[in-house]
Amino acid sequence: MKRTEVIVLAAGKGTRMHSDAPKVLQTLGGLSLIDHVLGSVRALQPSRIHVVYGYGGGAVKDVTEGDDLNWVEQTEQLGTGHAVSQAIPFVDQDSDVLVVYGDVPLVGADTMNRLIGASKSRCLALLTAVLPDPVGYGRVVRSSDGNVAEIVEEVDATDEQKAICEINVGFLSSPAKLLSDWLRRIDDVNSQREHYLTDIVGLVVADGGCVVACRTADAVEAVGVNSVAELADAERAFQNRQAYLLMDNGLTLRDPNRFDLRGSLTFGPGAAIDVNTIIEGRVQLGSRVTIGPNCYVRDCTIGDDTVVEANCVLDGATIGLSCMIGPFARLRPQTELGDGTRVGNFVEIKKSRIGSGTKANHLAYLGDAEVGSNVNIGAGVITCNYDGTYKHKTTIENDAFIGSDTQLIAPVTIGRGATIGAGSTIRRDAPPEKLTLTTEETKTLGRWRPSKKSETE
Ligand code: UD1
Ligand code: CA
């Protein structure tokens, strides 16, 4: 089989996005548009990938990873045909070429493969789709015998052509040699004064050459992103596709239309996610884990049978088995919770290890702490870990009881089984098994009277 080289077009500004960033860097499901395209392209294992960049200088090149990419600069954005021409000198003339657009993110590798196959190393193969609302796309005009005659851009189309629902997805495949010849012959005589790649279709037809239209049955694949609204529509379509795939694999989603995954999610049997939860980065849910509504979970591992109640923000945490988290808990990076821990409402934990069976049920802050197992953290307990310059560690040993409204001024250690009286400010280590507290006399002042409002007020 001939070698295949891929040209990715990513030089455009994307004026309709109203953003200074190049359009292909907009994100869909947490990944840039161009990374989506490159993901599918790489799955084809082509011999080379050329990326045409231009608007925004090196911005696309700088943030897109890939030692496998040949970057080709298009200094002026003179159209898609011009963009492909910039890459042609780098392409082996004996190869087949697949051209893809960086702003059409959802075409899968299988479809790309089908397109390459359809060109059979001699034809021009185009990817098309039939859309109920084709506005904005190039239309595939067919002659009376049903063969493709040309592609007409929306802005250049007659009313009759605008009524055509078969659109040009933008991806095409052909032998490099033929593509190079056709590109030399296109001009910019159109309403946008651009060199349209799509004009090669009419040229091939006029030459009596072979044009094959390869239609995708999945309209979502055809989605091109040109405006803020189209990006939002593409996001929903992408999320919906992910959600159904996860449900097919056994994840319970209360409502696939109110679920967002911006990264990767693995889960065990019986895992369930309630509505409006956002999963970001790499998240692993054990068996029977349930996530309540309105949670944000990023880069976390959550053990079997753990329950996360509503409105939690979990970021960079490793959570053990059978824990109870929330509602309204916040776990920050490098939090490790042992099995059976309980973290209740308005509890924030950062960079701390919490032993199994420990409870912090309400209103607490634990930062830079090493907390043993079966510890009770009362309401309003604060590890005062920051002196304004440095962070200090708090150690709380197994079975300790920290009374409510206690400040633990780090560095400090609370010994095994120690009890700290409520309302204490602990500035030095508390010995094991003893009651430690700071006392302040409680007074009642007999001659005190409540102030009264004067008559003139
Ligand atoms: C293009 C197609 C249209 C198709 C649609 C599918 C042309 C002339 N039209 O229209 O038939 O239905 O895509 O989404 O090709 N680019 C460059 N350099 C340039 C111009 C564009 O690299 O000089 C890149 C853009 O970054 C983008 C892609 O090419 O990734 C497509 O360009 P865009 O301007 O979005 O074309 P459309 O008007 O959407
Ligand atoms: Ca486009």
Side-chain angles (χ1 to χ4, degrees):
M1 196 171 145
K2 260 177 151 180
R3 288 148 52 93
T4 300
E5 300 198 18
V6 181
I7 301 174
V8 183
L9 301 192
K13 173 175 192 252
T15 313
R16 283 169 286 168
M17 291 303 307
H18 303 284
S19 161
D20 288 338
K23 178 171 60 177
V24 296
L25 295 183
Q26 297 289 339
T27 57
L28 186 70
L31 197 67
S32 70
L33 298 179
I34 188 165
D35 277 334
H36 278 277
V37 174
L38 288 172
S40 300
V41 164
R42 285 186 176 118
L44 303 172
Q45 298 188 300
S47 45
R48 292 192 83 187
I49 305 171
H50 311 272
V51 183
V52 182
Y53 72 101
Y55 176 78
V60 176
K61 196 172 160 186
D62 293 346
V63 304
T64 305
E65 282 185 27
D67 296 337
D68 56 336
L69 305 177
N70 175 41
W71 292 94
V72 180
E73 189 171 9
Q74 182 195 26
T75 42
E76 267 186 290
Q77 284 72 62
L78 302 177
T80 47
H82 180 262
V84 177
S85 300
Q86 307 310 297
I88 288 292
F90 301 96
V91 172
D92 173 0
Q93 288 297 292
D94 288 325
S95 66
D96 283 325
V97 176
L98 170 70
V99 177
V100 304
Y101 288 1
D103 67 344
V104 180
L106 299 179
V107 178
D110 288 351
T111 302
M112 292 183 188
N113 242 332
R114 210 153 55 83
L115 191 63
I116 296 165
S119 123
K120 293 195 183 74
S121 296
R122 59 188 179 84
C123 296
L124 173 64
L126 304 172
L127 186 62
T128 74
V130 174
L131 302 184
D133 178 13
V135 174
Y137 292 93
R139 307 298 205 283
V140 179
V141 179
R142 290 179 181 262
S143 50
S144 51
D145 57 8
N147 290 326
V148 175
E150 60 172 336
I151 290 171
V152 180
E153 293 306 301
E154 169 97 23
V155 282
D156 303 307
T158 62
D159 285 348
E160 202 183 328
Q161 288 167 335
K162 280 182 188 158
I164 298 171
C165 288
E166 187 180 12
I167 64 105
N168 170 38
V169 175
F171 291 21
L172 57 83
S173 174
S174 85
K177 234 186 234 124
L178 292 178
L179 182 62
S180 310
D181 290 344
W182 298 326
L183 283 168
R184 263 184 240 115
R185 291 163 59 194
I186 58 177
D187 57 32
D188 63 356
V189 184
N190 52 57
S191 62
Q192 299 189 92
R193 303 296 317 244
E194 283 187 4
H195 286 81
Y196 291 163
L197 174 62
T198 43
D199 279 354
I200 66 174
V201 178
L203 290 177
V204 179
V205 172
D207 283 358
C210 158
V211 179
V212 189
C214 208
R215 199 182 278 179
T216 168
D218 179 2
V220 170
E221 278 201 310
V223 165
V225 175
N226 299 299
S227 64
V228 180
E230 282 173 3
L231 181 63
D233 288 345
E235 177 78 29
R236 201 53 4 238
F238 175 72
Q239 291 299 346
N240 206 259
R241 184 197 259 190
Q242 291 192 131
Y244 277 85
L245 205 64
L246 290 165
M247 291 191 293
D248 282 349
N249 289 318
L251 179 67
T252 296
L253 291 176
R254 295 286 165 228
D255 182 355
N257 294 314
R258 287 181 289 167
F259 168 74
D260 289 83
L261 168 59
R262 303 170 188 161
S264 71
L265 173 65
T266 58
F267 56 91
I273 300 180
D274 212 323
V275 301
N276 288 337
T277 281
I278 297 173
I279 306 280
E280 213 170 275
R282 290 167 76 89
V283 171
Q284 279 181 42
L285 307 181
S287 303
R288 299 168 299 281
V289 166
T290 58
I291 310 273
N294 307 319
C295 291
Y296 174 76
V297 184
R298 180 164 90 174
D299 294 326
C300 286
T301 301
I302 304 182
D304 295 351
D305 298 299
T306 285
V307 175
V308 178
E309 303 271 15
N311 300 299
C312 290
V313 176
L314 313 180
D315 182 6
T318 305
I319 301 170
L321 312 173
S322 302
C323 297
M324 298 279 290
I325 313 292
F328 294 101
R330 180 176 183 204
L331 303 182
R332 291 169 52 197
Q334 297 179 58
T335 292
E336 288 176 37
L337 303 185
D339 299 343
T341 53
R342 283 167 171 259
V343 177
N345 44 268
F346 308 108
V347 173
E348 175 180 346
I349 305 182
K350 183 217 87 167
K351 201 178 178 186
S352 295
R353 222 177 21 221
I354 314 294
S356 57
T358 286
K359 294 177 193 156
N361 274 335
H362 5 242
L363 300 153
Y365 172 64
L366 300 172
D368 304 294
E370 180 85 33
V371 180
S373 54
N374 299 316
V375 169
N376 192 89
I377 306 282
V381 169
I382 297 170
T383 55
C384 306
N385 58 330
Y386 186 46
D387 63 13
T389 309
Y390 297 106
K391 299 276 169 63
H392 301 280
K393 189 172 168 183
T394 301
T395 303
I396 304 174
E397 294 178 354
N398 296 347
D399 306 310
F401 180 97
I402 315 296
S404 297
D405 193 26
T406 290
Q407 298 101 58
L408 303 168
I409 316 273
V412 69
T413 295
I414 309 300
R416 174 187 276 262
T419 295
I420 305 297
S424 295
T425 301
I426 303 297
R427 297 175 189 279
R428 59 175 169 75
D429 293 353
E433 311 290 348
K434 298 269 190 296
L435 170 66
T436 301
L437 70 168
T438 50
T439 52
E440 208 178 289
E441 214 184 328
T442 303
K443 294 180 192 165
T444 303
L445 302 181
R447 274 186 289 169
W448 175 87
R449 291 282 175 272
S451 56
K452 285 209 171 92
K453 281 191 174 171
S454 71
E455 308 256 303
T456 54
E457 259 184 311

